[in-house]
Amino acid sequence: MAKQETVDYFHDVMQHTKNEVWLVSHSSMDHLAEKIIERCHLARTNESQHFRRNVIWKRIVRWDHFADGFPNIFIDDVKEMAGKDVMFLASFHSPAVIFEQMSVLFAIPRYLARSFHIILPYFATGTMERIDKEGQVATAKTLATLLSTVPLTARGPPQLLIFDIHALQERFYFGENIIPRLTSAIPLVKRELDILGHKDWCVAFPDEGATKRFASHFGDTAIITCNKIRKNGDRIIKIRGGE
């Protein structure tokens, strides 16, 4: 009897969750989560629901703090998380909020989430990916190592989505227990420029590396490169291109 009840339980879970995705967000990303849900619902309305999974924004994390400032976090409805595909919309915009979010990232897989996707639009320590002299600390590697310790899910390693990471080689800073997915918002920028229809755009890049990496997306559009030159402790920006 107990065996059959177990089978029935998991059958019921899968029937109700196979087309359902949970979106969980840090409090600083609630505004973006709301826009994502609106966009997903619009897509389901305009297209066949057979090809669109139902994304549900679950505001289940209570981001409270103790009097000393340390996180006092509670996740509601954890028993309902079993068998769900879960996405977490994160923001590491300040060291003060990283620890509380890492605490939740560590907890979600342990509540039997079927799969786990972490959306981290900005990899904050990405520009500190190398050292110029002994004694410097490459904090990009530190944060990548920390994220690599997020527990596995029933379907394997969690996936980490990052937009326009500073250097593509940072992919190899992550361990084997997480799958980094490095994507770019540049095609979205190009799409918006094409919609506006102007022909006299000029695109400026902050350095030579960005120009080499992204200029090819803009075809014959005029390109400006801002070259940084350090002189006597000052940083001078020289403009190249734009004709």
Side-chain angles (χ1 to χ4, degrees):
M1 180 64 69
K3 181 178 180 180
Q4 184 58 45
E5 288 178 352
T6 302
V7 171
D8 292 343
Y9 168 77
F10 278 102
H11 178 268
D12 183 66
V13 166
M14 293 309 297
Q15 284 296 108
H16 287 85
T17 64
K18 62 182 180 181
N19 291 319
E20 188 175 286
V21 178
W22 280 18
L23 175 63
V24 182
S25 59
H26 183 251
S27 56
S28 64
M29 299 296 276
D30 284 351
H31 64 291
L32 182 56
E34 187 173 4
K35 291 182 179 180
I36 290 173
I37 293 299
E38 290 175 358
R39 185 67 176 266
C40 291
H41 286 175
L42 180 63
R44 282 177 58 84
T45 301
N46 296 336
E47 300 181 25
S48 172
Q49 292 191 14
H50 179 71
F51 297 102
R52 291 282 179 178
R53 301 184 66 186
N54 186 27
V55 181
I56 301 173
W57 183 20
K58 302 292 287 187
R59 305 183 69 173
I60 57 175
V61 183
R62 306 181 203 173
W63 302 98
D64 296 326
H65 297 84
F66 292 107
D68 60 3
F70 275 88
N72 179 17
I73 301 170
F74 192 90
I75 305 175
D76 295 312
D77 302 331
V78 290
K79 291 185 178 180
E80 298 180 18
M81 196 178 294
K84 298 290 196 306
D85 293 317
V86 181
M87 298 187 297
F88 184 84
L89 187 56
S91 176
F92 287 2
H93 60 275
S94 165
V97 300
I98 292 178
F99 178 68
E100 62 186 34
Q101 290 178 82
M102 289 302 306
S103 300
V104 173
L105 296 183
F106 282 16
I108 287 176
R110 300 187 185 280
Y111 287 114
L112 304 181
R114 190 170 77 117
S115 68
F116 192 27
H117 290 68
I118 304 164
I119 305 172
L120 183 63
Y122 176 56
F123 191 63
T125 60
T127 56
M128 194 57 195
E129 88 286 8
R130 56 188 172 86
I131 63 174
D132 299 314
K133 58 183 179 180
E134 291 294 331
Q136 287 183 307
V137 177
T139 51
K141 171 61 175 173
T142 306
L143 186 55
T145 301
L146 187 60
L147 285 164
S148 299
T149 60
V150 174
L152 302 179
T153 69
R155 297 187 66 181
Q159 297 186 37
L160 174 65
L161 181 67
I162 300 173
F163 284 87
D164 296 306
I165 198 166
H166 181 68
L168 291 176
Q169 63 266 26
E170 292 178 57
R171 169 192 303 276
F172 304 105
Y173 292 3
F174 295 89
E176 300 297 326
N177 287 339
I178 196 166
I179 301 174
R181 295 177 56 185
L182 308 184
T183 189
S184 175
I186 292 295
L188 301 180
V189 174
K190 180 63 166 58
R191 185 186 69 183
E192 293 302 314
L193 293 178
D194 290 341
I195 291 173
L196 291 173
H198 295 293
K199 302 298 182 182
D200 56 351
W201 291 110
C202 184
V203 180
F205 292 102
D207 52 41
E208 190 69 35
T211 301
K212 291 179 179 178
R213 185 172 166 187
F214 297 117
S216 61
H217 289 273
F218 295 95
D220 297 329
T221 304
I223 300 297
I224 287 177
T225 302
C226 301
N227 290 321
K228 296 184 285 289
I229 300 174
R230 296 190 180 277
K231 185 176 182 181
N232 298 326
D234 296 325
R235 186 169 65 172
I236 301 171
I237 306 297
K238 289 193 174 183
I239 304 298
R240 177 173 59 80
E243 298 179 0

